[in-house]
Amino acid sequence: MRPAGAQPEITIREFIEQAPEKLELRTLAGRRGLDDRRITIARIQKLGLALAGFTHYIHPGRVQIVGQSEIWYLGQLSPDQRREAIARLELGRIACVLVTKGLEPPAEFIIAAEQAGLPLLQTPLVSSTAIQLVTDFLQAALAPREVRHGVLLDVYGLGVLLEGPSGVGKSECALDLIARGHRLVSDDSVEVRRTGPERLIGCAPKLLREHMEIRGLGIINIRDLFGVSAISGPKEVDLVIRLERWNEACEVDRLGVDARTTEILGVNIPLVILPVSPGRTLSILVETAVRIHLLRERGYNAAQRFVRRHAELVREADGGDEQAGE
Amino acid sequence: MVERRVTVKNRLGLHARAAAQLVRTASEFQSIVRLERADGSAAADAKSILSVLMLAACCGTELRIMADGVDEERAISALEALFQTGFGESDPQV
């Protein structure tokens, strides 16, 4: 279920290949370092202060941006001063440098980058736009991730992750839900990424997209069978429904008053445990669980209301008895 | 839990039919059976065909089989035998 959860990182070559085309990245120097230098942090840094001598805060895993002000600053230095300023950066430990606005870095910089094997990239975009695109791209690319065994569906617009042991009927339940008009995101394996502090996005691994496996039918293509509206792209994970075999389901909720959660990548997601047994129509149970969740999100909790009503009834009965006793 | 290391010997790797045979065998046991690439880059539930196919294991790939449950020894031996016999293919090795 969980591949080795090493800290996500990408090489500079992957960055160049996968980054938005709008950046039109060009490599000016340091091709040698494309495969062994890695970006580990989504936030960028600007080299300004470091060029002026304050190099303490250079973070090796970030993209270093060089814009108009850095180029001007270097331009008004003497060639010796320039060489010295560039040497102080210790180019050997920086992931990569991105020059914006199509500016030409001074020859000393290009030579130093080539010597150090530091990828020196260039984009025609101005710094503000480039920084936004780079940060957005890196945030998605470096988001913590994990592969979950389960089925992700869009049910009434809510991202529902069905989990449970193999053979419990996840795919059959999902197929039933698709036939009832809901949409498939991914069957069997779901790639989950944490794109924000409280936000999980699930999507299908490339190979599995649009496909399901149903015992007895084999591998089927949902878009071919049910049409394009039966599948969905990446979807936020809002609710986890865990299917358990009846005899193994120890903590079955009989009231539905307490809200349960399960943790995925450090985010708490509401959890419903559904025991499975012959005669229980799972798809309708899932639909109902989603309706309950939708109501609760809007502040309406039927189980709590019922419990309150019952408490009132008990109180009244208690009061009535006292009166009768007097 | 028991664990064994195996190598994919089939010329075409752990292809669809071999994967199906593996899943059928794994499903005969009660134990939870998992497959993992030896380098830890991917893992699969051995009872799920899509999950096993996602490993994209080619000939020569080293895998770890892990079984956990009442019949774990029998499960792991059965799966190991499949890998060793190249899933019954006539030309397992190139």
Side-chain angles (χ1 to χ4, degrees):
Chain A
M1 258 152 272
R2 244 146 276 153
Q7 191 191 351
E9 52 176 36
I10 61 168
T11 64
I12 309 304
R13 186 183 298 282
E14 286 166 335
F15 172 62
I16 296 170
E17 284 169 1
Q18 297 165 20
E21 275 176 27
K22 263 195 269 176
L23 280 167
E24 294 178 49
L25 293 176
R26 279 179 54 208
T27 312
L28 301 178
R31 284 195 173 74
R32 203 150 45 84
L34 287 181
D35 291 310
D36 47 317
R37 308 246 177 167
R38 288 156 208 281
I39 304 168
T40 54
I41 294 178
R43 287 186 304 265
I44 58 90
Q45 259 186 323
K46 292 203 75 184
L47 270 184
L49 271 179
L51 280 175
F54 191 70
T55 55
H56 300 56
Y57 281 104
I58 290 190
H59 195 294
R62 295 194 191 177
V63 174
Q64 303 291 336
I65 302 280
V66 168
Q68 184 83 69
S69 55
E70 284 85 357
I71 296 291
W72 269 350
Y73 174 76
L74 286 171
Q76 47 93 48
L77 296 177
S78 70
D80 279 344
Q81 287 173 317
R82 258 202 297 278
R83 265 191 289 276
E84 204 181 307
I86 292 163
R88 273 198 303 265
L89 298 178
E90 296 177 57
L91 295 184
R93 63 191 183 105
I94 295 178
C96 80
V97 170
L98 175 60
V99 184
T100 59
K101 221 178 167 182
L103 294 163
E104 281 299 325
E108 291 87 349
F109 207 130
I110 296 180
I111 292 165
E114 195 56 49
Q115 275 170 356
L118 165 87
L120 181 60
L121 313 179
Q122 189 198 48
T123 171
L125 300 179
V126 296
S127 291
S128 54
T129 319
I131 290 171
Q132 181 130 37
L133 283 173
V134 168
T135 314
D136 286 353
F137 165 74
L138 288 177
Q139 253 162 8
L142 299 176
R145 60 192 60 207
E146 147 176 347
V147 177
R148 305 281 294 196
H149 181 58
V151 189
L152 184 61
L153 293 145
D154 173 333
V155 180
Y156 299 127
L158 216 65
V160 178
L161 181 63
L162 289 182
E163 294 193 330
S166 37
V168 79
K170 295 183 293 290
S171 296
E172 287 75 7
C173 172
L175 185 63
D176 214 358
L177 286 164
I178 291 163
R180 293 169 69 86
H182 305 292
R183 305 159 130 204
L184 174 74
V185 181
S186 186
D187 177 39
D188 197 88
S189 295
V190 183
E191 278 177 13
V192 181
R193 281 179 296 142
R194 192 183 73 209
T195 56
E198 292 292 319
R199 194 174 152 85
L200 295 177
I201 300 289
C203 67
K206 222 173 183 175
L207 175 73
L208 302 190
R209 222 156 278 174
E210 301 177 3
H211 289 87
M212 287 187 84
E213 190 247 346
I214 302 286
R215 269 148 231 237
L217 298 177
I219 296 171
I220 58 175
N221 183 309
I222 294 302
R223 193 165 60 130
D224 289 350
L225 292 169
F226 294 92
V228 73
S229 64
I231 53 162
S232 162
K235 180 83 196 153
E236 186 164 351
V237 180
D238 300 293
L239 179 67
V240 175
I241 297 187
R242 192 169 294 156
L243 306 181
E244 287 188 358
R245 295 197 177 88
W246 190 272
N247 49 354
E248 286 163 12
C250 40
E251 282 182 84
V252 175
D253 202 344
R254 299 305 293 266
L255 281 177
V257 177
D258 305 318
R260 280 189 204 163
T261 58
T262 183
E263 200 188 293
I264 302 177
L265 292 169
V267 181
N268 284 322
I269 304 289
L271 167 74
V272 176
I273 296 176
L274 285 181
V276 175
S277 71
R280 280 167 66 90
T281 315
L282 278 177
S283 53
I284 294 176
L285 292 178
V286 170
E287 272 185 357
T288 310
V290 173
R291 286 171 190 262
I292 293 170
H293 181 78
L294 286 170
L295 274 179
R296 277 193 191 171
E297 277 202 321
R298 285 157 182 72
Y300 179 87
N301 188 323
Q304 268 172 13
R305 286 192 181 209
F306 183 86
V307 168
R308 266 205 303 276
R309 236 161 78 179
H310 175 257
E312 273 165 34
L313 183 72
V314 172
R315 235 189 349 263
E316 276 168 27
D318 197 17
D321 282 349
E322 275 169 32
Q323 274 169 4
E326 277 167 4
Chain B
M1 196 188 80
V2 287
E3 187 182 316
R4 297 273 165 86
R5 259 173 188 259
V6 291
T7 306
V8 179
K9 289 182 179 173
N10 298 55
R11 195 168 46 84
L12 297 174
L14 196 48
H15 57 83
R17 279 178 197 288
Q21 202 179 340
L22 184 145
V23 169
R24 252 196 320 275
T25 308
S27 302
E28 288 168 16
F29 301 96
Q30 278 180 41
S31 299
I32 293 171
V33 191
R34 305 182 37 69
L35 287 173
E36 208 177 285
R37 276 172 167 265
D39 61 6
S41 60
D45 178 344
K47 296 186 184 182
S48 152
I49 180 83
L50 293 182
S51 176
V52 172
L53 289 174
M54 284 263 297
L55 285 175
C58 58
C59 183
T61 304
E62 276 195 54
L63 298 171
R64 284 211 308 264
I65 316 177
M66 289 159 286
D68 190 7
V70 286
D71 48 8
E72 55 189 31
E73 278 298 339
R74 285 196 300 128
I76 211 154
S77 303
L79 290 177
E80 194 183 25
L82 277 182
F83 279 96
Q84 277 167 355
T85 58
F87 294 82
E89 282 175 22
S90 50
D91 60 337
Q93 199 69 57
V94 198

